[in-house]
Amino acid sequence: MLYPRIFSFSSLLQTHMHPFVRAVYIEQWKLYFVVVLLQNNDLSSRYGALQWTGVYCTMSPEAPTSTRAKIYGSNALPRSLSWKPISSKSFLGSRAFPRSRSWKPISSKPFLGGSYLLKKGGVHVVSPNIASPGLAVELLYAWDDEYEGIIVDPYSLPLSSNAFASTLRASLLNWKLKGKRGIWLKILQEQAELVPIAIQEGFNYHHAESGYVMLTYWIPDEPVMLPAGPSHQIGIAGFVMNDKREVLVVKEKCPCSCSGIWKLPTGYINKSEDIFSGAVREVKEETGVDTIFQEMIAFRHAHLVAFEKSDLLFVCMLKPLSYEITIDEKEIQAAKWMPVDEVLKQPFYREDHMSKRIVEICMATHERDYCGFIAQKLTSKIDGNLSYLYYYNEKSTI
């Protein structure tokens, strides 16, 4: 189903433009709708209320009268709103409409309606169809996801805060009426002033990355089924041994618990980077040594680490292709090839059973007393892309 395309009334009318007018073109019905806010002096003085009604113009002979009657019949009006008959002739004369089209009033029951209470500093919506009498209400450009939800296009958001607020309210109402479920709203860094508006309308923070924040809105009155935000960070450790049974180790420039300790090169993988590629890259960046991936030996899973996130550390065995060391002086204090016995004799490894066990498993793998996981590139129909499967491969005939 196509979304209604809503635009400024000035693009439709030739004369007598009115500040309380909205124009709507619904493509699937080939109809123009014009909604006009009408201020009744009696009501305004007593309640500060605005009432509104509309007219329609048939733009295509394919839309039969029976279809229009069905659209505008009382059954088509949301029962959650308070509908009142207001004559279209009371606010605009016939000269306000282009004579090239055949305009008709919508009998005694308008096809849209609602009421507003005027307050200082803005308009408080009672029946939330149109948010402000001074701005044209639009719908956010968005598309359906695979789970009956909505993904909003971040590059088509209104530039002004007022326009965004009214458009967001209208879009939420539209999505609720359509039975949508989860709404995904990505707001770019340069649009940061829109974030408080979305939060005020009921959106929640999901996650943030450099350049944007992702917000979500759950429509159904039931437990939220949207997936949680990213909860893990992924690190790697590279185990590299030369022909002299020396291990490539580094001392990091950091005030952490392993400061001053000779340890395996470690780091975090980049976005969209494979685990083994991250290991090869980190070893190269920290030590200058070129390597090639052989096996994934083990991984450690810890919780409540940085910013209360969980942490996965994958240990990879790499084969050296070069041996000359050139350190990254911004991160590394020193690097060298070190006999494995000397590595394990450090007090740190006698006290840290996890780190000691990792080195022992790496040595067992090097001696072929233990086999890790190899990586095989395969295609998956889930996403249609090539990705790596890691699996145990001892004596495999696959």
Side-chain angles (χ1 to χ4, degrees), residues 2 16 25 48 50 77 89 142 158 169 179 185 189 191 202 204 227 234 242 262 308 314 318 325 373 386 393-394:
L2 298 175
H16 294 80
Y25 173 56
L50 286 176
L77 305 179
K89 294 181 180 180
R169 294 187 192 109
L185 175 61
Q189 183 172 339
Q191 304 165 326
N204 293 305
I234 300 178
N242 61 19
W262 290 107
E308 299 183 355
F314 291 89
L318 308 176
I325 294 176
F373 292 81
L386 283 170
N393 193 42
E394 184 182 24

Side-chain angles (χ1 to χ4, degrees), residues 52-105:
W52 47 287
T53 184
V55 293
Y56 72 87
C57 171
T58 303
M59 297 301 299
S60 171
E62 289 95 17
T65 304
S66 59
T67 302
R68 293 198 299 273
K70 181 178 180 181
I71 294 171
Y72 304 125
S74 59
N75 292 333
L77 305 179
R79 297 182 179 181
S80 60
L81 301 180
S82 176
W83 301 93
K84 298 180 180 179
I86 300 177
S87 173
S88 61
K89 294 181 180 180
S90 62
F91 57 89
L92 283 177
S94 59
R95 291 181 301 170
F97 300 95
R99 296 182 180 181
S100 60
R101 302 186 176 105
S102 175
W103 295 92
K104 301 176 183 179

Side-chain angles (χ1 to χ4, degrees), residues 239 241 245 247 295 297 317 340 344 356-372 394:
F239 180 83
M241 178 172 280
R245 293 176 58 82
V247 181
E295 296 178 63
I297 300 173
M317 173 170 284
V340 66
L344 293 176
K356 180 182 179 181
R357 185 60 174 163
I358 288 175
V359 175
E360 290 174 346
I361 294 173
C362 288
M363 286 302 301
T365 304
H366 184 267
E367 301 294 337
R368 307 316 299 170
D369 293 329
Y370 173 86
C371 289
E394 184 182 24

Side-chain angles (χ1 to χ4, degrees), residues 118-124 162:
L118 301 182
K119 290 188 175 182
K120 292 182 180 180
V123 177
H124 173 70
N162 289 337

Side-chain angles (χ1 to χ4, degrees), residues 29-243:
W29 295 337
K30 305 296 182 184
L31 296 175
Y32 275 114
F33 300 124
V34 177
V35 182
V36 180
L37 296 173
L38 172 63
Q39 183 168 358
N40 183 300
N41 292 332
D42 221 7
L43 289 172
S44 178
S45 61
R46 293 170 60 185
Y47 306 108
L50 286 176
Q51 299 293 328
W52 47 287
T53 184
V55 293
Y56 72 87
C57 171
T58 303
M59 297 301 299
S60 171
E62 289 95 17
T65 304
S66 59
T67 302
R68 293 198 299 273
K70 181 178 180 181
I71 294 171
Y72 304 125
S74 59
N75 292 333
L77 305 179
R79 297 182 179 181
S80 60
L81 301 180
S82 176
W83 301 93
K84 298 180 180 179
I86 300 177
S87 173
S88 61
K89 294 181 180 180
S90 62
F91 57 89
L92 283 177
S94 59
R95 291 181 301 170
F97 300 95
R99 296 182 180 181
S100 60
R101 302 186 176 105
S102 175
W103 295 92
K104 301 176 183 179
I106 308 178
S107 64
S108 62
K109 287 197 174 182
F111 68 94
L112 288 174
S115 60
Y116 295 80
L117 297 179
L118 301 182
K119 290 188 175 182
K120 292 182 180 180
V123 177
H124 173 70
V125 181
V126 177
S127 298
N129 291 30
I130 293 181
S132 172
L135 296 172
V137 176
E138 302 179 356
L139 295 181
L140 295 173
Y141 180 73
W143 55 90
D144 295 344
D145 64 17
E146 298 177 353
Y147 307 97
E148 302 180 33
I150 292 291
I151 301 174
V152 179
D153 180 11
Y155 300 100
S156 65
L157 297 180
L159 298 179
S160 75
S161 298
N162 289 337
F164 175 71
S166 59
T167 305
L168 182 61
R169 294 187 192 109
S171 299
L172 283 173
L173 177 60
N174 178 55
W175 296 328
K176 289 176 182 178
L177 292 174
K178 289 184 175 181
K180 296 301 179 181
R181 296 171 65 81
I183 311 300
W184 298 87
L185 175 61
K186 181 179 181 180
I187 297 182
L188 305 179
Q189 183 172 339
E190 56 268 26
Q191 304 165 326
E193 68 276 6
L194 305 181
V195 173
I197 299 173
I199 296 298
Q200 188 175 1
E201 293 300 322
F203 278 80
N204 293 305
Y205 292 104
H206 188 268
H207 69 272
E209 291 190 21
S210 176
Y212 77 88
V213 60
M214 181 67 76
L215 307 178
T216 59
Y217 187 102
W218 183 249
I219 293 178
D221 185 17
E222 58 186 48
V224 178
M225 299 298 292
L226 295 174
S231 60
H232 284 67
Q233 57 186 11
I234 300 178
I236 53 84
F239 180 83
V240 187
M241 178 172 280
N242 61 19
D243 296 335

